[in-house]
Amino acid sequence: MKMGVPGKTVSVGIIGLGCRGFDQTKLLASMPDVSIRVVCDQYADRVEKTLEMLNEVSGGKAPAQGCTNAREVMERSDIEAVIIMTGWETHIDLAVQAMRAGKTPAMEVGGASSVEECFRLIAASRETGKDCMLLENCCYNEEEMTLLHMIREGVFGEVVHCQGGYEHDLRDEIGNGDINRHYRQRHFKNRNGELYPTHELGPIARYLDINYGNRMVSLVSMASKAAGLHEWLAENRADDPRLVQAHINEGDVVTTMIKCARGETILLTHDCTLPRPYSRGGRIQGTKAIWMEDNRSIHVAGKTPQKEEDWSHSWEPDRKYMEEYRTDLWKEYLDFGKRGGHGGMDYLVLRAFIEALQNGTHLPIDVYDAAAWMSVTALSEQSIALGSMPVAVPDFTDGQWLDRKDEAEGPYKLGR
Amino acid sequence: MKMGVPGKTVSVGIIGLGCRGFDQTKLLASMPDVSIRVVCDQYADRVEKTLEMLNEVSGGKAPAQGCTNAREVMERSDIEAVIIMTGWETHIDLAVQAMRAGKTPAMEVGGASSVEECFRLIAASRETGKDCMLLENCCYNEEEMTLLHMIREGVFGEVVHCQGGYEHDLRDEIGNGDINRHYRQRHFKNRNGELYPTHELGPIARYLDINYGNRMVSLVSMASKAAGLHEWLAENRADDPRLVQAHINEGDVVTTMIKCARGETILLTHDCTLPRPYSRGGRIQGTKAIWMEDNRSIHVAGKTPQKEEDWSHSWEPDRKYMEEYRTDLWKEYLDFGKRGGHGGMDYLVLRAFIEALQNGTHLPIDVYDAAAWMSVTALSEQSIALGSMPVAVPDFTDGQWLDRKDEAEGPYKLGR
């Protein structure tokens, strides 16, 4: 591969121009082989601001037009892809519309509102022959890719248990007064579940070959009381009675246990309304090693040096392994120079999509991955609503997971 | 209090003289106000070895006799307490026998085999007027006592979520060939559940006022596959076909979620058959702070200094807080000089029992605590057997938890 050498031009439309949409649009605009033809948001001021940015970036040569109705994007004949960066609850519906309009959609991350919605996504893909990518940037983060590489190289032995979380103090953001435009706030007020699983579940799904020889079979979720956001709002938004008096439904800490067909367990934590440093709470345990994100350490049986002061087995910093097992993609990326947000992974996940379109290859995170990962949100809400009953995770592949091979190609390929 | 100044002599009998029983008996023998009158184990060689040790420690003046039948201990008229350090599955039955014989029992830790067994323990206590102490040493560990103090002082705000684990690579110990005498091995071969919850659950129960204004309402457990021990035995016990071919039932990682009446959640991890450094996996989250054992760090909202290099909130080492909130008991203990195993807590938990007997005060970890904490093992096995169904945790207090006060007194008191 030749990172940074433009491929054939891909023409795209973009829907959703909030904070995330604006930033990713700017990043796409920096790619010489991406032509942004149309940008869309229900709020006209966002469209205007984005068009201004695009004109600035292109020196006035941007071909992009603006609109406030997604239907206009779908009807364009000059785009092959639609990138969806709206609020969580419209991702699947817009992706279905895009496929039916003959485009290949890519969706920003978020959870599903129902399991049926996930099946609808797959049905649209099968009927139209179009695939759909979930833009799970964390799958392309350096650590997660290195860990996947280490697992494939056998460092962990047989992997038995994985943990991850979206552990991010968002009280300040959720307590923002702009209710209409705030995609997360109304979810926290009204829902109770694992609202945002894919940042950790996406990489874990690859560690465990989910959809490629393995699948999630059942899950159980439990929510703590919701105390953190209310207390914070009373102290920090005292001037806004709508917020101070708001009922918050989402438990501060929502824990989800998932059982896989091959017997592995996955533990997910959603933790966004209590004070805390950010963490994706990663942990990988196999018969030969354990890795943990919160202390950035690893213990490899028989290899990690035993410290004299430890009466138990010792940890060692994971840095040596992170360097030894760095992927070819990340080696080249570091030479090329990281760009875009979130430590560089935002750029890679967009390139993964664009280059698959350029090469006509299978999307590296496809419609089955999207359905399985996103369904965890709806299923966790069901489990909590039923008093932490176990609920079955559907097989979205109709049994194909048993011996499904990942048809993606090249350095962005993640599956087996 | 005057640590180290002998109180009135307490005469005890001891049942169970394996590794743990031997070490704790030796520690008891070092206390001038404890008179060990009888020691008992089903294996005569253990009895002999213990008597030899007692004679050595006392310069030949030990009054202890030996026996291999627990019934003989119960029948003694010269002891007021029975300390039970046998295998897990006999703790409750022996404690019931001791209470019925007019003695006050103290049991080493372990989980219950059934919920009914826990009710039987309470029934015996009510009928006899005798209490029963669970010797949960971790409740008296320095960090756990300091954290309890911090919670009571409001450092964490409203506590919402706690985690803990027994995360201890025991493959070498479990893979010991001496099946008959190995109390843990047959459990791992035949059971599947949270076998050993109390080291972390005991302290957490105090953090959350379980039995004193709060109680555990329901739990769900999930077990990973059992891959670690079998692989280890094949590689390390190749000469013993009984072990290499043994079926292992206990999942390598068993995760348990518990919901409390006031809305808090507790997450427990049992993790003993994969390679890993030891951890009790502590984590406390409240509306004002988070503490985590695995990185020995804390973040207190508005207090923890923000590091320039952190884009998210920062951690700080917990040491400052550990010193500032050290309990009076531990201040005195450090002056007095730590002794006994496990960082000094083994000594304290025994003193908590002995001094309550000397002073005629309520046991600091009582029969209701023992029943509630130990029941988690049996309940987790039920949940796993039922495919991770939620199961109800009984109210062992018959509603008294609503406004129950801890009647223990002095520096060893833990409850409210």
Side-chain angles (χ1 to χ4, degrees):
Chain A
M1 76 178 287
K2 311 154 295 289
M3 199 172 259
V5 176
K8 95 177 184 210
T9 298
V10 175
S11 297
V12 304
I14 295 172
I15 307 175
L17 304 170
C19 294
R20 180 66 177 161
F22 183 86
D23 288 347
Q24 289 295 78
T25 300
K26 196 168 171 180
L27 191 54
L28 284 162
S30 76
M31 300 175 187
D33 51 4
V34 174
S35 177
I36 301 170
R37 298 302 175 92
V38 57
V39 294
C40 173
D41 194 286
Q42 61 178 313
Y43 299 107
D45 61 314
R46 288 180 176 173
V47 177
E48 210 162 302
K49 186 183 158 207
T50 305
L51 288 174
E52 268 167 34
M53 176 272 288
L54 289 174
N55 265 318
E56 205 171 299
V57 168
S58 67
K61 290 180 200 155
Q65 293 180 297
C67 64
T68 55
N69 187 336
R71 177 54 51 197
E72 290 180 40
V73 177
M74 305 305 173
E75 285 166 357
R76 301 278 296 218
S77 59
D78 61 340
I79 56 172
E80 61 177 302
V82 177
I83 299 175
I84 299 159
M85 299 188 278
T86 55
W88 300 335
E89 62 274 26
T90 55
H91 288 176
I92 286 181
D93 186 53
L94 289 168
V96 168
Q97 286 185 43
M99 288 188 278
R100 295 211 187 284
K103 279 75 174 166
T104 301
M107 305 179 285
E108 256 304 324
V109 298
S113 303
S114 71
V115 175
E116 291 70 17
E117 185 180 40
C118 301
F119 275 111
R120 216 154 63 227
L121 184 73
I122 284 170
S125 172
R126 288 185 183 164
E127 286 163 28
T128 61
K130 291 285 168 188
D131 201 353
C132 169
M133 178 155 167
L134 186 72
L135 294 169
E136 184 36 83
N137 53 0
C138 294
C139 286
Y140 288 99
N141 192 42
E142 184 175 6
E143 283 76 16
E144 281 84 341
M145 289 199 84
T146 304
L147 290 160
L148 178 62
H149 189 203
M150 288 165 64
I151 289 170
R152 300 266 164 91
E153 293 292 317
V155 174
F156 288 90
E158 182 177 347
V159 177
V160 171
H161 178 73
C162 293
Q163 294 187 192
Y166 186 66
E167 306 179 310
H168 192 182
D169 177 1
L170 292 171
R171 293 172 303 166
D172 193 24
E173 183 191 317
I174 301 165
N176 187 309
D178 187 356
I179 291 178
N180 283 332
R181 294 188 178 198
H182 198 293
Y183 78 106
R184 216 182 272 267
Q185 188 181 91
R186 61 190 186 286
H187 293 273
F188 278 71
K189 279 178 159 180
N190 297 294
R191 302 174 76 180
N192 196 8
E194 173 43 89
L195 295 183
Y196 204 58
T198 67
H199 280 334
E200 67 273 21
L201 179 58
I204 289 171
R206 295 312 188 181
Y207 303 158
L208 299 178
D209 303 320
I210 301 298
N211 285 340
Y212 305 99
N214 200 4
R215 78 176 191 89
M216 298 183 280
V217 172
S218 66
L219 69 77
V220 189
S221 291
M222 185 177 281
S224 77
K225 62 181 160 187
L229 189 54
H230 180 75
E231 185 175 308
W232 188 90
L233 291 169
E235 289 172 7
N236 295 277
R237 296 286 185 267
D239 54 338
D240 189 340
R242 283 179 316 164
L243 289 171
V244 173
Q245 290 156 25
H247 173 75
I248 308 298
N249 214 27
E250 175 75 7
D252 289 323
V253 180
V254 173
T255 312
T256 300
M257 308 187 296
I258 305 175
K259 189 77 182 260
C260 300
R262 292 190 316 209
E264 304 93 336
T265 42
I266 302 171
L267 184 72
L268 305 180
T269 304
H270 183 272
D271 170 8
C272 297
T273 45
L274 294 173
R276 67 161 302 134
Y278 179 89
S279 177
R280 286 204 289 280
R283 175 163 156 177
I284 300 172
Q285 289 191 258
T287 54
K288 298 296 185 211
I290 177 171
W291 172 85
M292 197 174 220
E293 176 179 341
D294 282 315
N295 59 6
R296 284 311 303 257
S297 291
I298 191 167
H299 168 81
V300 183
K303 287 196 181 157
T304 296
Q306 182 67 27
K307 290 181 206 142
E308 261 184 51
E309 72 268 24
D310 281 348
W311 62 267
S312 170
H313 303 281
S314 299
W315 289 106
E316 65 178 313
D318 67 7
R319 192 184 314 189
K320 197 183 74 181
Y321 287 85
M322 287 292 155
E323 281 167 17
E324 183 180 345
Y325 290 94
R326 182 173 290 140
T327 57
D328 290 341
L329 179 70
W330 264 90
K331 284 179 197 164
E332 180 161 0
Y333 190 34
L334 290 174
D335 284 343
F336 176 60
K338 291 198 291 180
R339 55 206 67 201
H342 294 114
M345 62 189 179
D346 289 351
Y347 177 80
L348 290 184
V349 74
L350 290 176
R351 290 310 298 177
F353 178 58
I354 296 296
E355 294 184 26
L357 292 174
Q358 287 172 336
N359 301 326
T361 50
H362 193 79
L363 297 176
I365 303 174
D366 71 5
V367 70
Y368 293 102
D369 296 322
W373 304 356
M374 293 174 78
S375 74
V376 165
T377 294
L379 292 164
S380 79
E381 287 182 283
Q382 293 177 9
S383 177
I384 289 169
L386 295 168
S388 296
M389 285 282 277
V391 294
V393 182
D395 171 13
F396 293 102
T397 73
D398 287 352
Q400 299 304 307
W401 65 272
L402 287 163
D403 47 14
R404 199 162 165 262
K405 300 277 175 262
D406 183 8
E407 291 164 34
E409 292 170 29
Y412 293 101
K413 175 176 176 146
L414 299 164
R416 296 258 200 183
Chain B
M1 72 178 291
K2 310 155 296 289
M3 199 170 259
V5 176
K8 92 176 186 211
T9 297
V10 176
S11 298
V12 305
I14 295 172
I15 307 175
L17 305 170
C19 293
R20 179 67 175 162
F22 183 86
D23 289 346
Q24 289 295 80
T25 300
K26 195 168 176 184
L27 190 55
L28 284 161
S30 76
M31 300 176 188
D33 51 4
V34 174
S35 177
I36 301 170
R37 298 301 175 93
V38 57
V39 295
C40 173
D41 194 285
Q42 60 177 314
Y43 300 105
D45 60 315
R46 288 180 178 173
V47 176
E48 213 161 298
K49 185 182 158 206
T50 305
L51 288 174
E52 270 169 32
M53 176 273 291
L54 289 174
N55 266 318
E56 204 170 299
V57 167
S58 69
K61 291 179 199 154
Q65 295 181 294
C67 64
T68 54
N69 187 336
R71 176 55 51 198
E72 290 180 40
V73 177
M74 304 304 174
E75 284 166 358
R76 301 279 295 217
S77 60
D78 61 341
I79 57 171
E80 60 176 303
V82 177
I83 300 176
I84 299 158
M85 300 187 278
T86 53
W88 300 336
E89 63 274 27
T90 54
H91 288 177
I92 286 182
D93 186 53
L94 289 167
V96 167
Q97 286 185 43
M99 288 189 277
R100 295 211 187 284
K103 279 74 172 164
T104 301
M107 305 179 283
E108 255 306 323
V109 298
S113 302
S114 71
V115 174
E116 291 70 16
E117 183 179 41
C118 301
F119 275 112
R120 216 153 65 227
L121 184 73
I122 284 171
S125 172
R126 287 184 184 163
E127 285 162 27
T128 62
K130 291 286 171 191
D131 201 354
C132 169
M133 180 155 164
L134 186 72
L135 294 170
E136 184 35 81
N137 53 1
C138 294
C139 287
Y140 289 100
N141 192 44
E142 184 174 6
E143 284 76 16
E144 281 85 342
M145 290 200 83
T146 304
L147 290 161
L148 178 62
H149 189 203
M150 286 165 64
I151 289 169
R152 300 267 164 91
E153 293 292 318
V155 173
F156 288 91
E158 182 177 346
V159 178
V160 172
H161 178 76
C162 292
Q163 295 185 194
Y166 186 65
E167 305 179 310
H168 193 181
D169 178 0
L170 293 171
R171 293 173 301 167
D172 192 24
E173 185 190 316
I174 301 165
N176 188 309
D178 187 354
I179 290 178
N180 283 333
R181 294 187 176 200
H182 198 292
Y183 79 105
R184 215 182 272 269
Q185 188 181 92
R186 60 190 186 286
H187 293 273
F188 279 72
K189 279 178 161 181
N190 297 293
R191 301 174 76 181
N192 195 7
E194 174 41 270
L195 295 183
Y196 204 59
T198 69
H199 280 333
E200 69 272 21
L201 180 58
I204 290 172
R206 295 311 187 181
Y207 304 157
L208 298 178
D209 302 319
I210 300 298
N211 284 340
Y212 306 100
N214 201 5
R215 77 176 190 89
M216 297 182 281
V217 174
S218 65
L219 70 74
V220 188
S221 291
M222 185 177 281
S224 77
K225 61 182 160 188
L229 189 53
H230 180 75
E231 185 175 309
W232 188 89
L233 290 168
E235 290 172 8
N236 295 277
R237 296 287 184 267
D239 54 338
D240 189 340
R242 283 178 318 162
L243 289 171
V244 173
Q245 290 155 24
H247 173 76
I248 308 298
N249 213 26
E250 175 74 8
D252 290 322
V253 179
V254 174
T255 312
T256 300
M257 308 186 296
I258 305 176
K259 188 77 181 258
C260 300
R262 292 190 317 207
E264 303 94 336
T265 41
I266 302 171
L267 185 72
L268 306 179
T269 304
H270 183 274
D271 171 9
C272 298
T273 43
L274 294 174
R276 66 160 303 133
Y278 179 88
S279 177
R280 285 203 289 281
R283 175 162 156 178
I284 301 173
Q285 289 190 258
T287 55
K288 300 296 186 212
I290 177 171
W291 172 83
M292 197 173 219
E293 178 179 341
D294 282 314
N295 58 8
R296 284 310 303 256
S297 291
I298 190 167
H299 167 82
V300 183
K303 285 193 181 156
T304 296
Q306 182 66 28
K307 289 181 207 144
E308 261 185 52
E309 71 269 23
D310 281 350
W311 63 265
S312 170
H313 304 280
S314 298
W315 290 105
E316 64 178 314
D318 67 6
R319 190 184 315 189
K320 198 183 74 181
Y321 287 85
M322 287 291 155
E323 282 167 14
E324 183 179 345
Y325 290 93
R326 183 174 288 141
T327 57
D328 290 342
L329 180 69
W330 264 90
K331 284 179 199 164
E332 182 163 358
Y333 190 34
L334 290 174
D335 284 344
F336 175 60
K338 291 197 290 179
R339 56 204 68 201
H342 294 115
M345 62 189 181
D346 289 351
Y347 177 80
L348 290 183
V349 74
L350 290 175
R351 290 310 298 176
F353 178 59
I354 296 296
E355 294 185 26
L357 292 174
Q358 288 171 335
N359 301 325
T361 51
H362 192 80
L363 297 175
I365 302 175
D366 72 4
V367 70
Y368 293 103
D369 296 323
W373 305 354
M374 292 174 78
S375 74
V376 165
T377 293
L379 291 164
S380 78
E381 287 182 281
Q382 292 177 10
S383 177
I384 289 169
L386 295 167
S388 297
M389 284 282 278
V391 295
V393 182
D395 171 12
F396 293 101
T397 73
D398 287 352
Q400 299 304 307
W401 64 273
L402 287 162
D403 48 15
R404 199 161 165 264
K405 299 278 176 263
D406 183 7
E407 290 164 35
E409 290 171 31
Y412 294 100
K413 175 177 175 145
L414 298 164
R416 295 258 200 184

